[in-house]
Amino acid sequence: GGDSGGSSKGGGSIFDRLLGAPAKPDPFYVRYCPALSWEDRVLGFLACLVIGYALTITSLFSYTALIHGNPAPFALRYSLGNLLAICSTAFLMGPQAQIKSMLEPQRFYATTVYLGAIVATLVSALVLRMPSLVVCCICVQFLAMLWYGLSFIPYGRKILGRMASWLFGL
C-alpha cells in the first residue's frame, strides 16, 4: 500500500523533518482511518450524534413496554443512543484524544458513573429484567451525562449547583 490521506510516514511536518526534529507518530485515527477528510469526520460526527439522539428520543416510545415489565427495548435504545452520542466526538478529535479527555481529573468520576450506569441499565434490563431498577439506572445515566457535559462548559457545574441551591432552597 501507498501513503493515503496525505500523512507522511513517521508524522511531523516537512519543517520538523528538515530541522531534524524527532518524528512524531501519527495519531491513532490517522493510522486507522487515513482516508477520512475533515468533512468526512464532521459527517461521521453528525451522523453518530443525530442517530444517537434519535435512538434516545425514540426510546420514550418503549416506555409503556418498560412499565409493563419489558424493559429491554427502552434500555437498549436509550443506552445505545447515549453511547453513539458520546462516541460521536471521536470522529472530530480521534478516539485516543476522546478517551484521554474522558479520563481527565475533572471528568473521571462523571465518565465512570456514566459508563457504569449504561452497563447497569443493560444488565438490569437484559439479565435481571427489573423495570424499576432500569428506571433508576436511566436516571443515574442522565444525571451523569449532564454532569459530564457540563464539565466542558466553563463554570457549567458551578452554575447548575447554584441553580439547584436556589430552586431547592439549599
Side-chain angles (χ1 to χ4, degrees):
D3 189 302
S4 62
S7 142
S8 61
K9 208 147 190 94
S13 72
I14 192 166
F15 298 111
D16 289 339
R17 289 192 308 272
L18 287 174
L19 296 173
K24 299 175 198 164
D26 286 332
F28 173 86
Y29 61 92
V30 172
R31 286 182 290 182
Y32 295 103
C33 303
L36 290 180
S37 67
W38 177 248
E39 291 81 14
D40 292 338
R41 292 180 198 289
V42 170
L43 287 174
F45 162 75
L46 290 173
C48 279
L49 189 67
V50 168
I51 293 168
Y53 284 154
L55 280 169
T56 300
I57 291 168
T58 61
S59 72
L60 296 174
F61 298 128
S62 303
Y63 192 74
T64 53
L66 168 73
I67 298 302
H68 289 99
N70 183 13
F74 179 81
L76 282 170
R77 281 191 191 117
Y78 190 88
S79 298
L80 182 59
N82 275 330
L83 282 173
L84 275 172
I86 200 166
C87 288
S88 66
T89 54
F91 274 97
L92 297 179
M93 63 191 323
Q96 191 174 20
Q98 169 83 16
I99 291 168
K100 185 178 179 183
S101 172
M102 291 173 77
L103 298 177
E104 287 177 356
Q106 71 270 24
R107 291 187 194 97
F108 178 78
Y109 293 115
T111 299
T112 304
V113 171
Y114 184 46
L115 295 177
I118 290 172
V119 170
T121 300
L122 295 173
V123 168
S124 300
L126 303 174
V127 177
L128 303 175
R129 301 187 60 76
M130 296 177 63
S132 57
L133 189 54
V134 169
V135 171
C136 290
C137 291
I138 291 290
C139 290
V140 171
Q141 202 178 130
F142 176 79
L143 292 172
M145 182 229 1
L146 178 64
W147 198 248
Y148 172 82
L150 287 173
S151 72
F152 290 95
I153 301 169
Y155 304 105
R157 290 176 173 176
K158 187 175 273 191
I159 292 168
L160 179 67
R162 285 187 180 158
M163 286 174 47
S165 292
W166 179 75
L167 281 172
F168 300 112
L170 301 175

